[in-house]
Amino acid sequence: MTTPLPATPYDRVAYPTTVFPQTHPDRLFTLARLAGLDPVLPQEARILEIGGGNCMNLIALAAMWPGCDAHGFDLSANAIARGQEIVCASGLTNVTLAVEDICEAHHRYLPGSFDYVIAHGVYAWVPDHVRAATMALTAHVLSDRGVGFISYNAMPGGHVRMIMREMLLDAVGHIDDPDQRIAAVRDFLEDYARPRDDDELLAKTLRQQAENMLLRPDAVLFHDELGPCFNPQRLRNVVAAGNANGLIFLTDAGRNRQLDGFLPDSTHLPDDPDAAVLDLASRDDYASLRYFRQSLFVKQAPDRVIDVDRIADLWLSTTMQQQEDGTFKHGDDVIEIRDEAFAAGLIHAASIYPQRVPLSQITTDPALLRVIVQLCSEWYVNLHPGPAPFPVAPSDLPCSGPLVRGMLELGEVTLCTMNHSVLKIEQPELRALLMAADGTRSVAEIAALGTGIPPEDTLAALTACCSKALMQN
């Protein structure tokens, strides 16, 4: 008889359902390839998510790649039950979810059985022995060609968050009810975030952190800031833990951190390249007051010198938009690109997003490929092993993504797209259209169903759904 696992705080307050683009195997594949490694194509890979809650992040990957083998587990029975409900409603057959303890999971999974291992939001929020088990499990299950992702609150910014945590725990006192705890925290943060005339630099930093915390959902505040464990980590210590388990630090998956595992172009090759990149990254953590890291680990020794030819056969997608003055804008950032042919290629890529274009159609110039690497590290462009796994236009029998239909069936408003993003869809007509597009009906037959969309607009509406990555090939 199996002993049931104990209830967790995540059974009391569910963690928000979402996807995490920084964990996307396309990104991990690209960074491993850049380091001269031979990662497995994500669409054919075995993927494990450790402590993934309801594993929506994993489920979205499985829906995108029917040929992958996706496994995930969490200690929260409620979270896994919800994930299994979503999998069942979506009809996905390549997802296996389990209620499991990180410390026991090595019994469940065979050595070297996964090509991508994701542990997001776990490592710094568990006791010491569970943290050690997380790294050991990653090493145990990771294949020789695999890439492991481990995120954590980092130092030295973690010191600031620990000060805030002490204040918040003092503010909630002995309040046990989750709603009351969250209310007490928000009352405290709203008051504390107001600047004072006599604020010193540290106080200003703490008040800015309080403002940022107020923007987080209640469940994130409840778990990330008030959870029983809160252990920010130094990069050096995380890398040492990986090394002790036979893992090698590759680089970081975060924005502006993706080149941390590589030597600067002008650097003479040192005797110990691994130590050199770790020294540079660690010093930058303190210079930049780093709050968070998303470290990647591998089993094969990476090349610390970038060779851009390794990415020449990849595909590119981007949402950068050219402005009237010729510059490109991405969010609030402005990028100047002077090479006209190169700029034209990026304009074309943006015009067909979320579709992708072969990088070779944009440039084969090594100097411009280096620009692509930099743009990718800043998240202005994304690189992929191949074309998008979703169509440009509706097929003869249009079919929305399985996870899209599954979430609609469960009454969800925020849907996971086939592009590993989320999109809120509240319009009844559009929801009805997506449910009707199940791969068994032609456009004319869907138009005749009376979804609320005028029949003559049905094809245009389905084409728009393709442009939002809501349809499958």
Side-chain angles (χ1 to χ4, degrees):
M1 180 177 177
T2 302
T3 303
L5 294 170
T8 74
Y10 296 91
D11 290 312
R12 298 182 67 191
V13 179
Y15 204 80
T17 295
T18 191
V19 299
F20 303 105
Q22 63 270 42
T23 70
H24 199 298
D26 276 9
R27 178 167 298 170
L28 311 191
F29 175 97
T30 297
L31 292 169
R33 174 75 82 80
L34 194 62
L37 303 179
D38 181 29
V40 175
L41 288 171
Q43 62 266 33
E44 303 170 0
R46 301 160 296 172
I47 307 170
L48 175 67
E49 186 165 42
I50 298 171
N54 63 15
C55 293
M56 178 56 66
N57 185 57
L58 177 80
I59 295 168
L61 294 173
M64 182 166 47
W65 296 317
C68 79
D69 183 19
H71 292 250
F73 72 88
D74 196 272
L75 191 59
S76 169
N78 288 348
I80 290 298
R82 179 57 177 169
Q84 290 172 330
E85 183 182 22
I86 295 169
V87 169
C88 183
S90 304
L92 297 173
T93 59
N94 60 335
V95 184
T96 303
L97 304 183
V99 179
E100 187 58 273
D101 187 326
I102 289 173
C103 297
E104 300 298 325
H106 61 285
H107 297 300
R108 179 181 291 273
Y109 304 111
L110 294 174
S113 52
F114 293 99
D115 305 304
Y116 295 95
V117 179
I118 300 166
H120 183 45
V122 176
Y123 198 75
W125 296 269
V126 291
D128 291 347
H129 71 284
V130 182
R131 182 163 48 258
T134 301
M135 188 66 78
L137 176 62
T138 301
H140 170 73
V141 301
L142 196 65
S143 70
D144 287 343
R145 297 168 63 192
V147 183
F149 173 106
I150 297 178
S151 68
Y152 47 94
N153 284 334
M155 291 297 190
H159 289 298
V160 175
R161 294 191 67 171
M162 289 177 75
I163 295 172
M164 292 300 305
R165 172 178 164 82
E166 290 176 4
M167 289 192 285
L168 295 180
L169 290 176
D170 187 65
V172 300
H174 299 291
I175 299 173
D176 181 64
D177 178 78
D179 291 337
Q180 293 179 17
R181 281 173 72 85
I182 292 168
V185 163
R186 289 207 175 276
D187 286 344
F188 173 83
L189 289 173
E190 287 174 3
D191 176 68
Y192 187 82
R194 288 194 289 270
R196 276 65 164 176
D197 292 338
D198 59 348
D199 276 346
E200 296 184 356
L201 184 59
L202 178 57
K204 291 179 180 178
T205 300
L206 292 170
R207 298 198 199 285
Q208 180 61 55
Q209 184 69 12
E211 281 190 29
N212 294 338
M213 287 180 174
L214 283 168
L215 300 176
R216 296 172 190 163
D218 286 349
V220 173
L221 274 179
F222 181 81
H223 291 294
D224 289 12
E225 311 302 337
L226 304 178
C229 297
F230 193 85
N231 301 294
Q233 300 291 305
R234 294 175 69 234
L235 173 62
R236 288 187 182 278
N237 292 346
V238 178
V239 172
N243 293 164
N245 285 278
L247 296 175
I248 304 169
F249 173 64
L250 172 61
T251 191
D252 195 282
R255 186 179 184 190
N256 295 319
R257 304 264 58 82
Q258 293 187 15
L259 302 184
D260 281 2
F262 300 92
L263 294 168
D265 291 345
S266 60
T267 301
H268 174 73
L269 189 64
D271 293 336
D272 189 344
D274 288 356
V277 297
L278 182 58
D279 284 346
L280 289 171
S282 296
R283 291 170 189 166
D284 188 64
D285 281 354
Y286 283 90
S288 304
L289 193 66
R290 187 83 59 229
Y291 281 87
F292 197 69
R293 271 203 172 273
Q294 299 164 94
S295 296
L296 304 184
F297 290 90
V298 292
K299 288 190 171 178
Q300 302 294 323
D303 186 349
R304 301 300 181 182
V305 178
I306 291 176
D307 179 352
V308 292
D309 286 342
R310 295 168 180 158
I311 64 163
D313 63 341
L314 300 187
W315 292 58
L316 178 143
S317 66
T318 185
T319 58
M320 288 198 305
Q321 296 296 319
Q322 190 176 42
Q323 307 301 296
E324 291 183 0
D325 62 0
T327 61
F328 286 79
K329 191 169 185 181
H330 186 276
D332 293 330
D333 297 336
V334 176
I335 306 104
E336 184 176 0
I337 296 175
R338 297 179 179 177
D339 186 289
E340 292 185 4
F342 185 52
L346 294 176
I347 292 169
H348 171 64
S351 72
I352 65 169
Y353 183 86
Q355 293 296 323
R356 307 160 185 176
V357 297
L359 192 49
S360 59
Q361 290 185 7
I362 297 176
T363 186
T364 57
D365 182 343
L368 292 177
L369 286 175
R370 285 194 171 273
V371 174
I372 290 289
V373 169
Q374 187 62 45
L375 292 174
C376 184
S377 76
E378 296 172 9
W379 292 11
Y380 298 142
V381 306
N382 296 308
L383 295 178
H384 313 270
F390 41 84
V392 176
S395 64
D396 292 339
L397 298 175
C399 191
S400 54
L403 184 53
V404 171
R405 293 196 308 280
M407 297 182 79
L408 285 169
E409 184 178 315
L410 294 173
E412 297 285 344
V413 172
T414 301
L415 310 181
C416 293
T417 75
M418 296 288 287
N419 194 37
H420 203 240
S421 60
V422 293
L423 184 65
K424 183 176 286 189
I425 297 182
E426 298 177 294
Q427 306 94 315
E429 301 84 1
L430 184 52
R431 294 171 69 87
L433 177 75
L434 290 167
M435 286 298 289
D438 62 1
T440 68
R441 303 180 179 94
S442 67
V443 174
E445 289 171 329
I446 294 172
L449 287 178
T451 61
I453 292 175
E456 64 274 16
D457 294 337
T458 298
L459 178 58
L462 288 168
T463 302
C465 289
C466 289
S467 73
K468 298 297 183 182
L470 294 168
M471 311 296 288
Q472 65 175 322
N473 287 323

